[in-house]
Amino acid sequence: MKTKLVDVAVVGAGPAGLAAAWSASEHGAKDVLILEREERPGGVLKQCIHNGFGLQYFGQDLTGPEYASRLLERVSRTGADCWTHSMVTSLRPGELTVFSPKHGPTTVRAKAIVLATGCRERTRGNLVIPGTRPSGVLTAGTAQRLVNLHGYLPGRRALILGSGDVGLIMARRLTLEGVEVARVVELMPYATGLPRNVAQCLHDFGIPLQLHSTVTRILGWPRLEAVEITDLASGRVELLSCDLLLLSVGLICENELVLSAGLELDPRTGGPYVDDRLALPVPGLFAAGNGLHVSDLVDRVTVEGELAGLQAARHAASGVQEPVRRIPIISDEGVRSVVPQYVCEQGPQEVVLAIRVQEPLRQARFELWSSGRVLARHTERACAPGQLVLWGLERRAFASADEPCRVRVLGEPLCAPESAHELREGEPQDLLCVICPLGCRLQVHAQGHELLVKGAGCPDGRRYARDEFVQPKRAFTTTIPTIWGRPLPVRSTGGVPKEKLLAIPPRLASLRILRPVKPGEILLPDMDGAGTALVASEGGP
Amino acid sequence: MMQANEHAPSALYDVVVIGGGIVGCAVLWELAKYDLKLLLLERGPDVATGISKANSGILHTGFDAPPGTLEAALVTAASHRFPDVCKLLDVPIRRCGAIMVALNEEDLQACEEVLEQARANGVHDVQRLSRAQLLEMEPNVNPCAVGGLLIPRESVSCSARLTIAYAESAVLNGAEVGLNEPVLGLAPTPDGLLLQTPRRQVQTRFAVNAAGLYADDVARLVGDESFRITPRKGEFFVLDRHASGIVSHIVLPVPTPTTKGILVAPTVDGNLIVGPTADDIQDKADVATTADGLRRVAEGARRLVPSLRPEQYAIAQYAGLRSVCSTGRFEIRPSCACPRLIHAAGIRSTGLSASPEIARTVRELLAAAGLSLKERPGYRPERPGIQRVRDADPEQLERLYSLDSRYAHLVCRCEHISEAELVRAIHSPIPARTLDALKRRVRVGTGRCQGGFCTPRVLEILARELGLPPDSICKDAPGSELLVGPNKWRWMQAHED
């Protein structure tokens, strides 16, 4: 087998990997090689054609392809190389085995390695749903790829199991492509995706969300014909006819490589154990992104990738000395997971803990404690398991601990999403606030020229209520068939009135892209009769 | 032999085999060694789509077969042939051995009976195990175990891949295979049989009834009602490779008079499977798993290996059917109603284990009925399989890569299956035209993500290689297309209206 020597090797060209490669180059790494198993870089962002990315990191509302192309542009300005169609099959300290059709089977030796392997979806087999094994049962992300990158629909009438973000996004996406989404069914008594997605993917289109229920049987062969839904509270069983079952029931960090190196995984995250430099217990090995722990926002993944890239560059340059002492951070009461799992005694002043809670909470009070002593406190107005709580602390808070530090959270149970359910049928001026997981019920009244907002817990909520009352607008995204095969992701330049969303796709039905387009190119100057333009989210072919 | 052809319709076959399961394909393979015109008719979209695709994959030694039966004789004889058969046909086989776990004194007594039975069947290498020996060999079995048996030659293979290999070897030697071609009519003629399929009429001198669950239906076509076949369902869990270290042998419970019980077994691909149940059902097409069945499988597994929680490691569940014969035995004989139809039916659960010997028996019956057997000139006994990059050492890998760079393009993230392997399977002697056909041949999509990663890619490769639009590619049987149409097809329809 051929051998290739590099300073930093990055496994995965998704947002974490691209950020890591850029950052490693920026911080002086000479030879940076990204290994990507797919046909082109960008990771899952390629198929996330919807908007909502980049508000934190770029300060702009971007689609997935737009976000990916920004990261790619930065990487392309450095000397980093990217091998596509290239899968890493095993990891030993400082060494990767790579299968690449262009370069052949290769051993890549790297002074530092960043694992940015992303995550995969839980399957029907993991859930143990009994029944037949027909076509029409897919994970939501696989369906998203088929629709957005291949341009084909996997069914006519869908049921979505799981209210995770991918499932919610797919509910809207399929609806806009003419697939009937009969229902979203969620095991938990609350929606697990972001409130914004519940509002804008389900409520906007009148798609029912059935909580505290699950699919208990799959029927039909060779094509799915129906699923059996059981309401866990009442035990009521119902058959619902559909030819597509999408599963959005959780993500699993991809860590075969970590295991192949003989390292352990944290059962709480499914990712490797890292310290606050994102370093694994083997020198020169770093991890970032959804392969480390499943994140809620790509912006966060990007920042993490940058940190891993920086650390990898440093390690490659000098073979950084391993820290003297690492203080273990243990997830305690109410906390599902904390990353990093270790904090080094020495390092930059601030340490950020990414915490996932077990249950939705209001007035959540986080505590870092050790040897019976509380070292630091932090409060969040509301938080839910679907989101990461980021808590910035001073490093010296940890340094004073003699024993492992524990993170716990106390708060009142939050069941706002149930109100979301009721409100769907409510009066038009009743709104569910999507600004935070608190999910305040908002009421808007016009009084003369003034709009009065009741029920909002914060100024952001009041602003949201006014905007929604005056004219609720949504960005519109879809794909357009092209002569070169792969569909072109497109978006509206501004917001489209919410009630007009479903009127747009039929108008675009006969649109074909017949010539190469540049990213951001205007394809239709006025797509909705109100001057909103349709632009390309990425270039092609 | 060929003189018979002169006054007959153009498509005169010497033997038509009905059914492309392990038995039918083994018979075809056996007969292809001779200078015969052969056809196999299969109702499904591929060979190995019925019983033969969903079972335990265990190659039995015959230690527990009912002594004195044809089944016992065939299974024990076949068990000595498998290492050679699998080598010739390039099918994986793993001699992992089996242990039978006695959990109490009663079980120990039953083990003694099993030991006697094994000896009666000529399986002399079965040994008693003390509790200490048992726990040393398999530290994770139930610590309540009091002893047991070791059956060293019990092995595992893959029944679907062996079925395909039998059929492909036959095709390489001139046999024909008709897929999606159920036999709808079967009528004796003066010098043979006339078969009706949806596509054609087929004239043959002899036919072999290897229709598995439907063997009684085929027999009935010639008025033979001498046996009935009913389905008995068995449900299984497939576990992640991460669980494969839990046991290394096939771990068996002590059988009861009604069932061999729920076992834990390694697969030839390095997973563990747990199962099966044994439930008599009515519908021959019912291969749905059930909540109750899977619960019983999980319980059964925990009885043998308490630390094994199938739900925790589950990557897939499936159900298969056994063909239970009303006569309670192998029906390998000429039909009483039509001597030119040879039954190979009632093969309840040892079809894989007995297959080469069932085939030999059928060949002898055909010869006795007047089929003349002359060796096929230029017969090729070896059937090369598809080289897997997963198993290749660095040197082999370099060679494969220099042959076809697509060997270094991995399409399946879990099982590390390359594009070249898929392309070869699509263009193999019995071409894989569906996702499941590829799965059976090269295991694409059988890993822990269950096709989450590879499905769109495999669809694309199938469409490209077959020159078909992606929305015509099926998962399995016709009607199982994975895609219903291009995006916006409904809007486009509305547009056209």
Side-chain angles (χ1 to χ4, degrees):
Chain A
M1 249 195 299
K2 275 178 296 201
T3 303
K4 166 132 180 124
L5 301 177
V6 296
D7 280 348
V8 175
V10 178
V11 185
L18 292 174
W22 171 75
S23 162
S25 300
E26 285 287 295
H27 291 96
K30 289 281 171 294
D31 289 311
V32 177
L33 176 62
I34 313 172
L35 300 160
E36 169 55 48
R37 65 190 184 189
E38 295 197 358
E39 62 284 359
R40 58 194 171 108
V44 79
L45 288 173
K46 296 194 296 289
Q47 66 186 54
C48 295
I49 61 154
H50 53 282
N51 64 306
F53 301 100
L55 287 163
Q56 286 181 11
Y57 189 82
F58 289 112
Q60 261 180 290
D61 185 10
L62 303 172
T63 65
E66 286 171 340
Y67 193 104
S69 64
R70 291 206 179 193
L71 296 182
L72 267 168
E73 265 167 41
R74 291 200 318 195
V75 173
S76 66
R77 288 200 300 268
T78 71
D81 193 8
C82 180
W83 290 5
T84 52
H85 284 133
S86 300
M87 198 185 285
V88 178
T89 56
S90 77
L91 163 72
R92 288 167 303 285
E95 201 176 290
L96 299 163
T97 305
V98 185
F99 278 69
S100 165
K102 190 170 166 200
H103 305 275
T106 308
T107 302
V108 171
R109 292 223 170 87
K111 292 176 188 159
I113 294 171
V114 178
L115 300 173
T117 46
C119 56
R120 65 171 193 273
E121 299 175 280
R122 287 182 79 206
T123 65
R124 173 191 176 178
N126 298 144
L127 294 186
V128 194
I129 307 175
T132 55
R133 308 219 295 163
S135 70
V137 182
L138 289 171
T139 55
T142 304
Q144 189 178 46
R145 184 180 170 100
L146 289 169
V147 175
N148 292 346
L149 296 184
H150 296 248
Y152 283 89
L153 295 175
R156 297 177 176 85
R157 181 176 151 88
L159 178 106
I160 299 175
L161 176 60
S163 59
D165 289 313
V166 194
L168 299 176
I169 294 290
M170 280 311 288
R172 173 175 65 187
R173 182 77 188 105
L174 291 175
T175 304
L176 290 174
E177 287 295 340
V179 176
E180 184 192 349
V181 178
R183 197 179 297 177
V184 174
V185 173
E186 168 59 48
L187 179 73
M188 303 306 287
Y190 51 86
T192 57
L194 298 171
R196 181 181 70 191
N197 287 335
V198 176
Q200 299 190 354
C201 298
L202 303 187
H203 295 181
D204 278 3
F205 300 96
I207 299 168
L209 171 63
Q210 181 178 347
L211 298 170
H212 208 206
S213 302
T214 192
V215 171
T216 44
R217 195 153 59 106
I218 288 169
L219 295 94
W221 197 87
R223 175 100 209 160
L224 177 68
E225 286 164 22
V227 295
E228 180 190 271
I229 300 166
T230 302
D231 182 315
L232 298 177
S234 66
R236 196 171 66 92
V237 171
E238 177 191 1
L239 278 189
L240 187 118
S241 75
C242 57
D243 70 347
L244 179 62
L245 170 63
L246 292 191
L247 303 175
S248 174
V249 288
L251 301 170
I252 301 169
C253 301
E254 290 253 59
N255 278 302
E256 276 86 349
L257 293 179
V258 174
L259 294 169
S260 80
L263 295 168
E264 271 182 55
L265 299 180
D266 179 351
R268 290 174 172 271
T269 56
Y273 289 95
V274 292
D275 62 30
D276 61 295
R277 302 169 306 153
L278 303 180
L280 274 71
V282 170
L285 190 57
F286 304 87
N290 280 349
L292 174 61
H293 61 147
V294 176
S295 276
D296 47 355
L297 295 175
V298 69
D299 309 64
R300 159 84 193 153
V301 165
T302 310
V303 172
E304 222 170 69
E306 285 176 357
L307 174 60
L310 160 77
Q311 296 292 349
R314 280 190 189 159
H315 188 93
S318 60
V320 174
Q321 282 216 328
E322 288 302 299
V324 185
R325 190 165 83 102
R326 291 190 180 112
I327 301 117
I329 312 296
I330 293 170
S331 303
D332 206 330
E333 191 184 339
V335 173
R336 187 184 291 176
S337 65
V338 179
V339 171
Q341 294 90 342
Y342 296 92
V343 170
C344 304
E345 196 166 30
Q346 311 275 313
Q349 201 178 354
E350 197 196 37
V351 174
V352 179
L353 299 183
I355 303 165
R356 199 175 277 276
V357 294
Q358 277 169 348
E359 302 293 338
L361 295 173
R362 66 168 75 225
Q363 289 306 318
R365 300 183 304 281
F366 291 86
E367 288 179 354
L368 180 77
W369 60 287
S370 182
S371 317
R373 202 157 53 87
V374 175
L375 306 174
R377 287 195 172 86
H378 173 75
T379 310
E380 291 276 328
R381 217 152 52 87
C383 55
Q387 293 154 310
L388 287 178
V389 172
L390 300 183
W391 181 10
L393 293 119
E394 292 207 14
R395 190 174 302 269
R396 51 166 199 257
F398 299 92
S400 66
D402 305 322
E403 287 180 29
C405 291
R406 295 171 175 272
V407 177
R408 70 177 168 204
V409 60
L410 304 163
E412 299 159 39
L414 173 66
C415 40
E418 276 171 56
S419 62
H421 202 45
E422 294 162 27
L423 273 175
R424 204 176 59 72
E425 310 290 338
E427 293 296 308
Q429 66 265 39
D430 282 349
L431 283 176
L432 169 75
C433 184
V434 302
I435 300 296
C436 80
L438 212 51
C440 294
R441 287 165 179 237
L442 308 176
Q443 284 190 316
V444 189
H445 300 280
Q447 211 172 60
H449 296 291
E450 290 269 319
L451 279 182
L452 291 183
V453 178
K454 278 190 197 164
C458 68
D460 287 348
R462 279 190 285 279
R463 202 170 310 123
Y464 170 77
R466 289 202 185 92
D467 291 349
E468 280 288 287
F469 187 78
V470 175
Q471 184 161 50
K473 284 189 169 183
R474 304 284 184 261
F476 175 85
T477 60
T478 189
T479 59
I480 305 291
T482 65
I483 47 162
W484 58 85
R486 190 173 81 216
L488 183 75
V490 296
R491 66 169 299 168
S492 59
T493 43
V496 172
K498 185 172 93 172
E499 66 281 1
K500 284 196 180 167
L501 280 173
L502 272 173
I504 296 171
R507 286 201 207 172
L508 303 179
S510 56
L511 193 61
R512 290 280 174 292
I513 307 295
L514 305 172
R515 54 172 180 79
V517 287
K518 290 196 227 25
E521 191 175 325
I522 294 175
L523 303 168
L524 287 178
D526 182 6
M527 60 185 262
D528 59 350
T532 310
L534 188 72
V535 302
S537 261
E538 69 181 23
Chain B
M1 182 204 71
M2 297 307 284
Q3 286 88 337
N5 276 359
E6 283 168 17
H7 305 288
S10 56
L12 175 72
Y13 290 92
D14 292 306
V15 184
V16 171
V17 178
I18 303 166
I22 186 98
V23 173
C25 291
V27 168
L28 195 72
W29 164 74
E30 175 71 20
L31 295 177
K33 296 169 185 170
Y34 303 93
D35 195 7
L36 301 169
K37 190 166 167 56
L38 302 171
L39 171 67
L40 180 140
L41 294 173
E42 164 56 43
R43 63 203 292 273
D46 190 10
V47 294
T49 52
I51 302 172
S52 307
K53 79 165 175 192
N55 52 55
S56 68
I58 297 176
L59 290 171
H60 297 287
T61 51
F63 77 96
D64 58 349
T69 59
L70 178 60
E71 180 180 1
L74 298 185
V75 172
T76 48
S79 78
H80 296 284
R81 288 179 63 191
F82 269 110
D84 290 340
V85 169
C86 287
K87 198 170 170 195
L88 273 181
L89 298 179
D90 201 0
V91 173
I93 177 169
R94 184 168 152 201
R95 191 176 138 169
C96 49
I99 58 165
M100 186 175 279
V101 180
L103 291 173
N104 49 45
E105 285 304 313
E106 210 175 304
D107 279 357
L108 264 189
Q109 197 53 47
C111 278
E112 286 303 308
E113 286 163 32
V114 172
L115 190 61
E116 269 170 46
Q117 204 172 348
R119 285 178 183 150
N121 288 337
V123 183
H124 296 292
D125 52 359
V126 179
Q127 302 155 32
R128 287 188 195 87
L129 292 176
S130 68
R131 178 176 187 275
Q133 286 171 316
L134 188 86
L135 290 174
E136 200 195 317
M137 293 172 83
E138 289 295 354
N140 291 318
V141 300
N142 195 334
C144 301
V146 291
L149 297 176
L150 170 69
I151 309 101
R153 281 190 306 111
E154 290 277 296
S155 307
V156 292
S157 182
C158 169
S159 132
R161 266 172 286 172
L162 182 58
T163 303
I164 292 162
Y166 279 141
E168 288 196 346
S169 168
V171 168
L172 288 172
N173 286 295
E176 295 164 42
V177 171
L179 300 175
N180 289 317
E181 242 189 311
V183 172
L184 305 172
L186 186 58
T189 60
D191 50 1
L193 293 137
L194 187 66
L195 286 87
Q196 181 70 50
T197 80
R199 237 181 279 162
R200 54 181 162 169
Q201 282 198 329
V202 179
Q203 180 73 44
T204 180
R205 297 175 61 215
F206 295 92
V208 177
N209 174 12
L213 284 163
Y214 301 89
D216 54 346
D217 300 330
V218 168
R220 211 173 304 116
L221 292 175
V222 293
D224 180 346
E225 305 210 358
S226 56
F227 62 92
R228 288 199 57 77
I229 304 286
T230 50
R232 182 173 294 166
K233 191 189 278 187
E235 300 184 37
F236 288 91
F237 275 92
V238 184
L239 307 188
D240 192 299
R241 276 219 183 89
H242 292 323
S244 62
I246 294 177
V247 298
S248 57
H249 294 80
I250 302 164
V251 180
L252 306 165
V254 172
T256 68
T258 51
T259 168
K260 288 185 185 177
I262 286 155
L263 54 87
V264 181
T267 71
V268 79
D269 300 294
N271 299 86
L272 285 184
I273 53 164
V274 184
T277 48
D279 296 313
D280 288 315
I281 57 169
Q282 299 301 315
D283 182 357
K284 291 179 179 181
D286 174 9
V287 287
T289 55
T290 63
D292 178 59
L294 294 173
R295 185 186 50 75
R296 281 181 283 133
V297 170
E299 270 174 24
R302 268 195 297 276
R303 241 170 68 83
L304 289 177
V305 185
S307 60
L308 186 64
R309 298 198 50 240
E311 304 90 335
Q312 187 187 340
Y313 291 106
I315 60 171
Q317 300 83 42
Y318 64 91
L321 301 174
R322 310 168 184 84
S323 63
V324 178
C325 189
S326 54
T327 61
R329 55 172 192 258
F330 278 17
E331 293 294 339
I332 306 177
R333 56 174 174 83
S335 162
C336 46
C338 173
R340 284 173 175 270
L341 175 68
I342 310 294
H343 295 312
I347 316 297
R348 196 189 69 202
S349 62
T350 45
L352 169 62
S353 304
S355 55
E357 286 295 299
I358 294 173
R360 186 188 53 76
T361 310
V362 169
R363 188 249 296 156
E364 286 166 3
L365 287 168
L366 285 165
L371 180 70
S372 65
L373 298 169
K374 204 172 64 186
E375 276 182 25
R376 173 180 291 275
Y379 176 72
R380 290 163 57 191
E382 285 100 0
R383 169 266 184 190
I386 294 164
Q387 175 84 50
R388 296 164 61 160
V389 295
R390 187 187 187 100
D391 304 334
D393 59 38
E395 256 171 56
Q396 287 172 317
L397 213 53
E398 281 300 334
R399 197 171 40 75
L400 289 173
Y401 177 68
S402 63
L403 198 71
D404 184 345
S405 64
R406 291 174 298 185
Y407 273 113
H409 177 213
L410 300 185
V411 175
C412 172
R413 60 166 294 284
C414 306
E415 299 297 306
H416 296 165
I417 312 295
S418 65
E419 184 183 350
E421 290 161 70
L422 296 184
V423 170
R424 275 158 181 72
I426 295 168
H427 301 296
S428 60
I430 298 178
R433 301 178 63 88
T434 65
L435 227 68
D436 282 2
L438 276 176
K439 200 167 167 175
R440 284 187 286 272
R441 282 162 182 77
V442 295
R443 289 187 49 74
V444 68
T446 59
R448 60 179 63 100
C449 91
Q450 287 288 297
F453 178 78
C454 67
T455 297
R457 291 152 181 90
V458 175
L459 259 175
E460 214 166 47
I461 292 169
L462 266 169
R464 181 191 75 205
E465 294 296 318
L466 297 174
L468 294 170
D471 50 0
S472 68
I473 303 297
C474 284
K475 176 178 183 288
D476 188 26
S480 66
E481 289 81 2
L482 283 120
L483 305 168
V484 299
N487 286 358
K488 300 184 181 55
W489 65 274
R490 271 196 183 162
W491 305 137
M492 283 189 267
Q493 258 179 358
H495 211 70
E496 277 155 26
D497 295 346

